[in-house]
Amino acid sequence: MKLTVVGCSGSFPSADSACSSYLVEADGFRLLLDLGNGALGELQRHCGLYDLDAIFLSHLHADHCIDMCGYFVARYYRYEGGRCDALPVYAPEGAEQRLTTAYADTPSATSMSEVFAFHTLKSGSFDIGPFQVRTERVSHPVEAYGIRIEHGGKVLAYSGDTGVCDALDDLAADADLFLCEASFTYGREDIPELHLNGREAGAHAARAGVKRLVMTHIPPWTDGQRNLADARAVYDGPAELARAGAVYEL
């Protein structure tokens, strides 16, 4: 598997990165995890607009899905080659309605589904192309899912947005790479069932026995280096901060 960080900023884009979006590739198949603010432009540095094979939306907060509206334009109104076929989109219930409302002026109430084939996420195991995936509901104010992706004996786990929860340990168990959110600062914010801080991300990585921790979704107002130090205080494996354009081979 190849993982490319398209965007990794939390809540809103930073000067250095778009919001959450991660490209996972294997056997010529391209799966995109989330498509937040600014990510559609950055995606084109790594992949053609029409080269994706599936999209996974962890939840329907804007910083994880709002660039789907721009992507709708690219697929629906494409001049060269005509309108695109429907691309599989795995997302929580209500995704089509949410995106249609956000766009606000689609030609019809069902236009989104003409270029996106929506599949409603639930906790469970299934295949997306060559990937064996497992999704679990995680702890967030809206319906949100983490995902475990397996291919060729390697495991990538992605937290999406979550507070501390047992499901995250299960998804990340023995993962080769754990892409984990760390939005909050240890000792400053204490809002349960919303986001993790660096220490909590490190503790999840330690409990799950992951081989590598990459912390992501850090908002521009949060000190990533402090979060990294807090994670390393409780997790003794390799740990780093995600950065836009970084590539990992699993």
Side-chain angles (χ1 to χ4, degrees):
M1 281 189 287
K2 177 183 175 182
L3 167 67
T4 302
V5 178
V6 178
C8 55
S9 185
S11 299
F12 58 95
S14 72
D16 300 314
S17 178
C19 283
S20 292
S21 190
Y22 313 92
L23 181 63
V24 184
E25 302 173 77
D27 296 347
F29 191 95
R30 295 179 175 92
L31 169 64
L32 191 68
L33 310 179
D34 287 334
L35 192 58
N37 316 40
L40 184 62
E42 291 300 311
L43 176 65
Q44 294 170 72
R45 298 180 185 272
H46 310 289
C47 175
L49 269 178
Y50 307 110
D51 293 336
L52 292 178
D53 295 291
I55 294 175
F56 166 87
L57 299 178
S58 62
H59 65 294
L60 300 179
H61 279 156
D63 59 328
H64 291 257
C65 73
I66 200 62
D67 269 23
M68 289 289 289
C69 291
Y71 197 34
F72 165 78
V73 173
R75 297 186 70 83
Y76 191 89
Y77 294 105
R78 183 177 65 164
Y79 180 75
E80 294 290 340
R83 186 173 299 164
C84 295
D85 292 335
L87 180 72
V89 175
Y90 299 84
E93 186 173 4
E96 180 180 0
Q97 294 79 6
R98 171 79 169 181
L99 295 173
T100 299
T101 300
Y103 188 84
D105 192 25
T106 54
S108 76
T110 59
S111 294
M112 281 281 172
S113 61
E114 293 182 43
V115 291
F116 298 129
F118 291 97
H119 300 266
T120 301
L121 282 174
K122 298 294 181 185
S123 296
S125 299
F126 53 98
D127 292 342
I128 301 178
F131 303 114
Q132 296 80 52
V133 308
R134 177 183 163 199
T135 55
E136 292 290 349
R137 181 88 179 256
V138 292
S139 183
H140 205 52
V142 299
E143 186 176 0
Y145 292 86
I147 187 170
R148 178 185 179 92
I149 304 172
E150 300 186 42
H151 177 76
K154 299 294 184 179
V155 176
L156 165 67
Y158 170 48
S159 66
D161 279 9
T162 184
V164 173
C165 62
D166 292 340
L168 195 55
D169 290 341
D170 293 339
L171 285 175
D174 301 316
D176 294 278
L177 190 151
F178 182 27
L179 186 61
C180 185
E181 77 117 286
S183 306
F184 285 164
T185 302
Y186 177 60
R188 189 178 74 184
E189 297 116 331
D190 184 16
I191 307 172
E193 300 183 347
L194 181 57
H195 288 297
L196 301 173
N197 60 46
R199 188 179 184 90
E200 289 166 338
H204 269 298
R207 287 194 298 270
V210 306
K211 297 179 178 64
R212 186 177 194 174
L213 171 64
V214 178
M215 295 197 302
T216 192
H217 197 271
I218 297 176
W221 53 51
T222 297
D223 182 352
Q225 292 301 320
R226 177 173 171 181
N227 282 17
L228 183 58
D230 287 340
R232 287 174 171 166
V234 293
Y235 171 67
D236 59 9
E240 62 196 89
L241 301 176
R243 60 175 180 80
V247 176
Y248 301 90
E249 299 280 354
L250 280 71

